[in-house]
Amino acid sequence: MNSTPSSFSQLQHDHIDLWSISPKQLNDSELKYLKSLITDEEQTRIATFKSSSAQKTSLVSRAMCRLVLSQYINIPAQAHQFSRNKHGKPSLLKNSTQLQFNLSHNEDLIIMAVSVKDEVGCDIENPIRKVSIEPITRRYFSTQEHVMLMAKQGQAQNAAFFKTWTLKEAFVKATGVGIKLGLDSFYFLYDDKDNKQNIQVCFNEHYPLNIEQPWYCFHDQFQQQSFALCRATKTLQKICYLDAAQLIPVPKR
């Protein structure tokens, strides 16, 4: 895993930095440090989660976001201010660098994608989770994807479902609209033998945005998780994997 983020010039052209951290691997002192980075308002929101696991994941996600952004913008992690668009997607309040980012998480892993200028979205899912594939795809996915998935069985169907699911989530997040875009308004075409970059997004007639916008879409397995990235660009991307845990200072002895 790489330990140095890309430069701004690299990010503008063909790089997505993908940071990750596992909440379960952090000790009490590391969590205490992360808590010191977030605002009182954020701490209040975290406290509304009923389970301690959800509180921990939210804490690490928020603090990780601040630590990562400070690798690109020369201000303290505590000083970052955020805004949200009308669909809820967060961004930096003052962003003269045009830095773009997106996060996704579950209890085992948190990821954060970073790019410059072009919007980016990411999603991560645990592929061992039990899901009801037929009713989910029939109700929410496009007809094309439902037919494709129903033609598969067993592990092949499960793998294709999570690949499609993460791609769809990453895509709607990258558009800034979220699921209000309509998960059935677009669909993905890909070769099962090419698991990563040979992925094409296509549009149905009721897709509400610009169909001429080029997209780069990527899928892979990472730390036993299924994850996807989508970026509003036609340029083939290099994915730089980075360990966010390395940003947490080692306590002085």
Side-chain angles (χ1 to χ4, degrees):
M1 181 178 287
N2 297 321
S3 58
T4 304
S6 309
S7 69
F8 272 121
S9 61
Q10 289 174 318
L11 283 170
Q12 288 173 350
H13 291 95
D14 64 351
H15 277 62
I16 298 174
D17 282 352
L18 186 72
W19 296 84
S20 65
I21 194 168
S22 173
K24 292 182 177 180
Q25 295 179 351
L26 301 177
N27 59 40
D28 290 342
S29 63
E30 290 169 326
L31 292 172
K32 182 177 180 180
Y33 170 75
L34 294 179
K35 188 175 181 179
S36 73
L37 302 180
I38 64 175
T39 65
D40 291 342
E41 181 183 358
E42 287 176 312
Q43 292 186 35
T44 299
R45 291 180 179 178
I46 290 171
T48 63
F49 291 104
K50 294 182 179 181
S51 73
S52 59
S53 177
Q55 290 180 359
K56 183 177 181 180
T57 300
S58 181
L59 165 62
V60 178
S61 296
R62 291 171 183 271
M64 167 190 168
C65 180
R66 291 175 173 277
L67 280 173
V68 167
L69 291 175
S70 289
Q71 303 307 300
Y72 305 90
I73 303 173
N74 190 28
I75 65 173
Q78 299 94 321
H80 292 298
Q81 294 181 303
F82 302 93
S83 62
R84 292 180 180 270
N85 70 10
K86 64 180 181 180
H87 303 290
K89 185 178 182 181
S91 62
L92 282 167
L93 184 61
K94 297 179 180 180
N95 192 8
S96 60
T97 61
Q98 294 186 298
L99 195 68
Q100 306 291 339
F101 66 92
N102 193 235
L103 289 95
S104 181
H105 61 75
N106 55 40
E107 293 183 357
D108 298 308
L109 190 66
I110 300 168
I111 62 171
M112 178 174 173
V114 181
S115 65
V116 171
K117 188 177 178 180
D118 302 317
E119 293 281 357
V120 67
C122 65
D123 188 58
I124 191 163
E125 301 289 344
N126 189 334
I128 67 172
R129 265 204 311 146
K130 292 184 178 181
V131 293
S132 301
I133 294 177
E134 193 282 329
I136 290 175
T137 59
R138 174 167 41 82
R139 181 173 180 180
Y140 297 109
F141 286 17
S142 70
T143 300
Q144 295 92 337
E145 289 164 334
H146 177 68
V147 171
M148 178 271 291
L149 287 164
M150 290 305 100
K152 300 179 183 295
Q153 294 181 345
Q155 181 56 36
Q157 184 188 60
N158 192 74
F161 170 79
F162 279 102
K163 180 173 183 177
T164 304
W165 185 358
T166 53
L167 283 167
K168 292 180 84 66
E169 289 285 349
F171 182 79
V172 298
K173 292 169 73 176
T175 66
V177 178
I179 60 174
K180 292 181 180 179
L181 184 68
L183 294 178
D184 63 343
S185 68
F186 62 96
Y187 58 98
F188 291 94
L189 297 177
Y190 51 80
D191 184 347
D192 288 336
K193 296 180 181 179
D194 184 352
N195 191 48
K196 297 182 179 180
Q197 304 197 73
N198 187 20
I199 301 170
Q200 180 184 359
V201 59
C202 304
F203 307 102
N204 286 318
E205 290 184 359
H206 60 296
Y207 179 74
L209 303 180
N210 178 17
I211 64 173
E212 300 301 325
Q213 168 66 54
W215 288 95
Y216 168 83
C217 301
F218 175 88
H219 177 270
D220 202 3
Q221 301 290 322
F222 177 61
Q223 295 192 18
Q224 300 180 321
Q225 304 283 324
S226 176
F227 86 93
L229 297 167
C230 289
R231 185 179 182 185
T233 180
K234 63 180 179 181
T235 305
L236 188 68
Q237 299 291 291
K238 297 177 182 177
I239 314 301
C240 182
Y241 294 83
L242 298 146
D243 183 3
Q246 295 183 6
L247 303 180
I248 303 175
V250 178
K252 295 181 181 180
R253 296 182 179 180

